[in-house]
Amino acid sequence: MSNANNHTINDDIPTLSGAVLLAQAPANIQCQITHHIESTGARVTLVENGQQVLEQTLNADFDLILMSINMPVLDGIETLKGLRQLGNNTAVYALTSEATAKGKDEFSQQGFKGGLVYPIELPKLYAVLQSHLRSPQQTKSPKNAQSDSLKAKIAELKPIFLASLRTQFGQLNEHIERRDFAQIIKILHIVKGSAGNFGYNNLTDVANSALVSLRLQQFDDAPALLAKVMVCIDKILNGKESCDTKN
């Protein structure tokens, strides 16, 4: 007979509140993890490399970070070191394939809270989420206003963001020509999640509109919305601090 009072996690979806940063999982697995996390009620921000992890955590609070060991720009271990140097003590779990999986002790020795192995087992994922996210009844103190030093850090990282945006601009061009909507969605999610941190709220808005259209498979509307995204990025890359696509 099962014990109704125990804390064993099963495949039932928990109801949670909080923010998760997901970094550079393989595309198919990334979609699955995002779906399972969002199904709990939690929010997911996607990034594609270690540098973007640092950028995101400078300007937003996350309850949990899941990131691949083998990321470009900065790998998982170097990114974790960077987070700790910035004074960020958010729980970080390593994502890795079975072939490269390390033992729990090895992850702990490197500073990770733990590890999740592809393919991700739902009970283990939900257990991790429940350990670090909140139930809807729980509250969290609001984020303090940015300090001068934090603002200086964001200003320091802005050129790196713009360099990444230039790369994403080229990638979007290629994927739009190929009508590779899966890759377009992935890039738009990253752009939407990072642009606002550097003051480009218009880009966040147009990227979100295009993203929603593609997720709803409203492909007739997609070309015009994607064109707005590309115009907006082009203006930013050419030195404009905002991008009103109506002009």
Side-chain angles (χ1 to χ4, degrees):
M1 181 173 69
S2 64
N3 183 354
N5 295 319
N6 66 26
H7 296 286
T8 301
I9 307 299
N10 56 33
D11 285 348
D12 292 338
I13 300 172
T15 301
L16 301 169
S17 174
V20 179
L21 183 60
L22 175 59
Q24 223 275 318
N28 60 326
I29 297 174
Q30 186 179 72
C31 290
Q32 293 172 5
I33 296 176
T34 299
H35 169 73
H36 292 310
I37 295 174
E38 289 183 338
S39 69
T40 70
R43 304 184 309 279
V44 181
T45 298
L46 299 177
V47 294
E48 59 186 7
N49 60 55
Q51 184 61 57
Q52 291 178 355
V53 170
L54 299 181
E55 292 173 6
Q56 285 288 331
T57 56
L58 277 172
N59 202 41
D61 284 333
F62 293 95
D63 301 287
L64 175 66
I65 300 173
L66 306 176
M67 65 184 182
S68 172
I69 288 289
N70 301 313
M71 293 188 293
V73 186
L74 291 175
D75 65 22
I77 294 172
E78 289 301 315
T79 301
L80 181 59
K81 289 179 182 176
L83 287 169
R84 300 309 183 229
Q85 288 171 357
L86 290 170
N88 188 307
N89 294 313
T90 302
V92 181
Y93 283 74
L95 301 176
T96 185
S97 66
E98 187 172 2
T100 58
K102 299 176 181 293
K104 183 177 180 181
D105 290 341
E106 288 188 68
F107 285 127
S108 298
Q109 289 169 6
Q110 292 172 341
F112 291 98
K113 188 73 174 179
L116 292 170
V117 179
Y118 309 136
I120 304 296
E121 297 178 30
L122 275 182
K124 291 182 178 179
L125 175 62
Y126 289 153
V128 168
L129 296 177
Q130 289 180 299
S131 294
H132 301 285
L133 305 184
R134 308 173 300 283
S135 66
Q137 291 76 25
Q138 293 174 304
T139 59
K140 187 176 180 181
S141 301
K143 184 177 174 66
N144 294 330
Q146 290 178 354
S147 65
D148 290 340
S149 61
L150 185 55
K151 290 178 181 178
K153 272 290 181 184
I154 293 171
E156 180 183 334
L157 288 170
K158 190 171 182 178
I160 299 171
F161 161 75
L162 292 173
S164 297
L165 188 63
R166 187 173 297 279
T167 299
Q168 290 158 350
F169 182 75
Q171 292 172 339
L172 278 172
N173 262 324
E174 293 179 6
H175 296 315
I176 288 170
E177 288 181 7
R178 297 173 184 168
R179 294 180 64 82
D180 188 343
F181 295 123
Q183 290 301 316
I184 293 170
I185 288 172
K186 178 181 177 181
I187 295 171
L188 287 177
H189 198 139
I190 294 168
V191 169
K192 184 195 78 169
S194 59
N197 296 329
F198 296 92
Y200 299 114
N201 295 322
N202 286 343
L203 178 55
T204 296
D205 292 341
V206 294
N208 185 61
S209 295
L211 189 58
V212 169
S213 176
L214 289 173
R215 283 180 167 169
L216 294 175
Q217 298 186 354
Q218 296 171 344
F219 299 128
D220 290 341
D221 298 332
L225 293 171
L226 289 171
K228 288 185 177 182
V229 173
M230 300 304 282
V231 168
C232 192
I233 294 176
D234 184 62
K235 287 183 177 181
I236 291 171
L237 294 177
N238 281 287
K240 295 191 176 180
E241 288 302 313
S242 65
C243 57
D244 185 352
T245 56
K246 294 179 181 179
N247 296 330

